[in-house]
Amino acid sequence: MSRMTKSTSAPSHESPEARFLQELATGVPKVQECQACGLHFFQPRTHCPSCKGGVYRWVEMDLLGTIYSYSTIPAKGEQPSYNVVLVDMDEGFRMMSTCPGMQLQADCIGARVQASVDTDSQPTRLVFVEAQ
């Protein structure tokens, strides 16, 4: 006996994280857009965090955001200190990364930043720079 199925697009069976990293490697960061509710979301996942829809597409990411919070990780041995930032992206999700070369102070909260692809790191990653 055969099962009846809805005639909707089947969810992708690819790893969302692997696909995100693959897109980053091209130099054009992309995020998922839910086909049911239109939400753009990050961390890569198999279902929309809002409506739980499992059908999405990858769209070019708007690179602008606002610093929500930051921490400075002190130097340890040979490793220099570095910062970690939480950035509220204009598309409505929050990302965590670093702002290489920026000396962050308390007044940086609310500062506008822009995501940039760091192809020198392995794996390729997004970092933040001052918005232009």
Side-chain angles (χ1 to χ4, degrees):
M1 178 163 30
S2 66
R3 289 186 177 175
M4 303 269 309
T5 59
K6 286 184 178 179
S7 62
T8 60
S9 300
S12 173
H13 295 291
E14 70 184 350
S15 161
E17 183 177 13
R19 175 69 184 269
F20 175 74
L21 293 173
Q22 183 180 28
E23 295 293 347
L24 267 186
T26 71
V28 181
K30 293 186 177 179
V31 294
Q32 293 163 285
E33 176 184 63
C34 178
Q35 295 297 278
C37 72
L39 181 75
H40 289 189
F41 56 94
F42 182 84
Q43 292 281 3
R45 59 191 82 194
T46 59
H47 291 79
C48 175
S50 178
C51 74
K52 310 302 182 227
V55 181
Y56 53 85
R57 68 185 183 127
W58 291 88
V59 296
E60 199 166 321
M61 187 176 130
D62 179 1
L63 302 176
L64 295 174
T66 303
I67 295 178
Y68 172 80
S69 183
Y70 79 96
S71 291
T72 300
I73 310 303
K76 184 174 182 181
E78 301 273 325
Q79 184 175 354
S81 65
Y82 61 96
N83 59 54
V84 175
V85 294
L86 291 175
V87 175
D88 286 337
M89 301 303 293
D90 289 356
E91 291 174 279
F93 51 84
R94 186 171 286 162
M95 297 186 86
M96 180 172 70
S97 190
T98 64
C99 294
M102 289 178 67
Q103 297 298 319
L104 302 178
Q105 303 293 324
D107 63 351
C108 77
I109 303 299
R112 298 289 288 161
V113 290
Q114 181 173 343
S116 174
V117 178
D118 178 3
T119 56
D120 293 332
S121 68
Q122 289 301 320
T124 302
R125 66 185 183 135
L126 283 179
V127 296
F128 292 97
V129 298
E130 289 184 65
Q132 299 301 324

